[in-house]
Amino acid sequence: MAQRKTSTNHINNANHEKHIRSSTESCQYCHPMQSFRNSSDFVKHLRDSHCTKEGGSYVCRYGNNAVCSTLPLDGVSDKDYESHVLKYHVNVVKEVPEEWSVYLAAQNLSVVLNDPSRGKQTNLFTKKWGDYFVEKVKIEKSSLLEDVQWNDFDPYLKRIGKRFKRHQRLAHLNYDPNTSEPHFVSIGNLEDVPEIFLRSEMNLSDSSTFNLVFPGVGDKSDESRSSARLLQEKLSHYLDIVEVRIAKQVSMKSSVFFHAMTSQDTIMEEMSLASANVKSLRKELSTLKLNLVDNSLKIMQLTKKKQNMQNVLDKLKLMSTVHKTQPMLQLLLGTQDYVAALDLISTTQEILQQELVGILCFKHLPMQLDEMEKLIDKMLTTEFERYSTTDLNRLLHNSNTTNGSDTTSLDTEAEDLEKVVAEDKLVSIVMGLLRKKNFSFIDMYKEEAIVTIKAFLKQLVIEVIATSDVEICLTGAGEEAQSLSISEWIDLLERATIALLEILNRIKSAAVVMLTTADAAAGKCGMNLNFFDSEAFLSETDHQMVEDRLCEMINSVCNYCHERCANLVSNQSLEKSIATPVEIQKLNEIVEHFSNGCGEISEVRTAPLQMAVKTQASRFANQFHSERKNKISLILDSEKWKQVDIPSEFQKIIDKIAENEFICSKTESFNSAVNGTSQANPVLLVEGKPYALVGAALTLVQMMNDYCNCASQLPIVAQYQSRNIVDLMRIFNSRSCQLVFGAGALRVAGLKTITIGNLALVSRAIQLVLWLLPKVKAHFIKLDSTSEREFATIEKDFTSHMREIEAKILVIVSGLVGNQLKTWDARPPVPSQAFRNISKHFVKLHEAVSPILPEPQIQEIYRTVHKNFKDKLREQLLKYNIVNNGGPQHGVVTSELTFYMETLRTIKALPAEELGANDETLEDIWIK
């Protein structure tokens, strides 16, 4: 019992000492951790290693990051430092820091939030903090690691198998009197020791833990004393179990200890051998260095020295070359080799900045070269302006006067030679400007071209006006041509367009030379230039820009020429003078020639001049239409609506129109023919069919022929004339309707009444227009495809008018018949006066329309009148209750109808088969 008590006390003291060592006799911030036997050694270590003296004060550095959290940073005295160490660092129970394990792993929140590779996280503030805060990422298999198979472990298993079996045998030793190895008596299992003693965090200073280990400690009763003795024996038993297990483990690992000691000697022998090999290697390396390395290094040093001297010589030669830059520049500029001069300046500047930096003798040379480059740029601009002015203001070919073929030949040769020299000069200037990337020369040339064109047009107008008899004061840009005659104005335009085309060709030739030069500067063509032997310097982007600007320049100049010529055309008003179709045709040919020439130069069709010519054509068409519109209105107002004879000239016009041809008719001869001074026929034959017409209808047809003929001669006015001819027909239709159908002729022309003959003549005139309409329409569509829509409604208007006239005739005749039948009664005498009057009206109607209207139309009229007559008569029979019974009244009616039918047969109003031989056509009047 006493032995077990002693063991228990020993265990408690050991645990206490172990805890104290961990807190006072070991330094937690030294690596590796140092342990001390007593407190005084620990205090000395803190003063030597974890304390700094600043002035007369001591600063404690025992803590994380060499900062003590309990001592002021400004330090304390020596005595206060000792008190501080004893109070806060010595004899203080501290828990040993827990060894790190994977369970202590965590994430740094600031690192997770600032991770640039994750971007914006939508569910960041809804996650729970912990080891699952960051999503787990599956690590892909590395391509650098080989695929390990089970077969790869076979050599290792064979080699280690025997050792493993021996280890297992030693690990499972039991008590056996026959074995020669040590054995241990089993005094208990480790499972008998309570779990509380096996915990690493067991702390007896905790009251709950202490009560579990020593239950009932503190009671003075006999029972508690016996319990204490039992507890002491139990603790001693636990200690014996642990000691036995430790001794068993040591005995089992004894062979390993002896093996380690044995291998130590082997390692020492190998280290001695390795040390000898190292000494031998060092000796051999020293020999190699002396015999091989040192001599080779000396050769390399001499070679480097030679290279440095060569570099100095090359530098001196380069300085000599740079010194000759300015005289060479003067020589190049004298030969107009601007590109070579600019290349020389650029190369010299580059050498000065890269290879001759710091050379005092060339201190001012870069500034001089900059000034020289600016001077060359100014020279190029001045030369280009001088060349542009000279080239554009050369004498025009159409202004030259020659005195013989020999002189002309000499002039041509001199001009060709001068042209070649000028082109070479232009190439050199443009090449220099391109080398300077000064692309404004294109705009400069365009401005000079516009100034030249403006001055030429002004001079040309002055010359034309000087030869005119009209005194004119020039204003503005000089296009004061409104007071010129039409012939002078057209001559002015023709001279201007011819000269402008020559100027534009000059501009195009200069632009071609500029573009060819740009191609050579960009390396896009094999242009052989004697003065240009350097590499291509113009980039693809700059070359495309130059090409686009040259094209835009030509287009702009062409547009300007069109606009100025358009001003000449637009300022001329045809309202003050009458232009002939020949003059309008001449104007159109001039404009077409100029537009085609500009199209070949700029490949762009411009609109201003075309619009101006169309405006003049529109004025001509409007004037043409206005004259004929007023004329047809006056003729319609004075028309008596009586049939006239047809002149032979008019018959020729109709015959040609029937063949889809429109001829030119002279107005004077036609008017005299209409007035009866020429040979005439009573009717007009249209494709063999007679037409009885009034004078206004003849005038309309003659005017329609004039419109078609004008459009044939001047296709430019076809679009306007198609609208005008439709308007003319619409005026004739509406005005004739007002005068005849609306009885306006009673007031205007002084007619006493509008007869059926008048209506028939209007109807026949409309029929002639309807015959002409498809031919006129086809003629204008052939000239202008957009003219078809102009004729869409006019045919409907004429057809509707003709039907209204027929309806008017029927209303008149039906009214007369109806009035006679109202007074009729079935009584003798036969024929009655009513039927006599009806027959008289039918005869007069036939006399009025038969010379005018065609027979089918007359029969259609009588067919409708006959039907209306039967309807009216049936009403009268129903009124008097007369039936077909053979009575006296039936006999009277039969006699009246026989007289009526005989009248229709006499005038041949209807075909014989419709009238019948036995009056069968009247049987339907008796049907109820």
Side-chain angles (χ1 to χ4, degrees), residues 63 81 149 186 200 214 301 312 327 330 353 418 465 472 550 681 687 714 850 869:
Y81 176 75
Q149 305 293 333
S186 178
S200 60
F214 304 104
Q301 290 174 356
V312 173
Q330 298 295 334
Q353 294 176 1
E418 182 182 357
I465 292 176
I472 303 173
L550 284 173
N681 298 318
E687 295 180 347
L714 299 176
S850 60
F869 167 78

Side-chain angles (χ1 to χ4, degrees), residues 807-822:
K808 183 67 173 178
I809 294 174
L810 293 174
V811 168
I812 295 174
V813 176
S814 297
L816 295 175
V817 172
N819 292 331
Q820 294 298 326
L821 288 177
K822 287 180 181 179

Side-chain angles (χ1 to χ4, degrees), residues 458 472-480:
K458 187 172 183 178
I472 303 173
C473 180
L474 286 177
T475 58
E479 289 96 347
E480 185 62 42

Side-chain angles (χ1 to χ4, degrees), residues 272-291:
S272 298
L273 180 61
S275 178
N277 293 334
V278 169
K279 289 180 181 179
S280 176
L281 179 62
R282 288 181 176 177
K283 184 177 179 180
E284 293 178 359
L285 289 175
S286 178
T287 303
L288 292 173
K289 178 177 180 295
L290 182 62
N291 296 330

Side-chain angles (χ1 to χ4, degrees), residues 219-229:
D219 295 342
K220 297 181 180 180
S221 61
D222 295 337
E223 184 179 359
S224 62
R225 291 175 182 174
S226 61
S227 299
R229 286 193 295 271

Side-chain angles (χ1 to χ4, degrees), residues 738-776:
Q738 294 173 1
L739 293 174
V740 179
F741 194 78
L746 300 177
R747 175 179 54 83
V748 176
L751 298 181
K752 297 181 179 180
T753 182
I754 301 299
T755 64
I756 293 178
N758 301 139
L759 295 174
L761 287 172
V762 175
S763 176
R764 198 56 173 161
I766 293 175
Q767 292 175 21
L768 179 61
V769 174
L770 290 175
W771 175 83
L772 285 170
L773 192 57
K775 300 182 180 299
V776 173

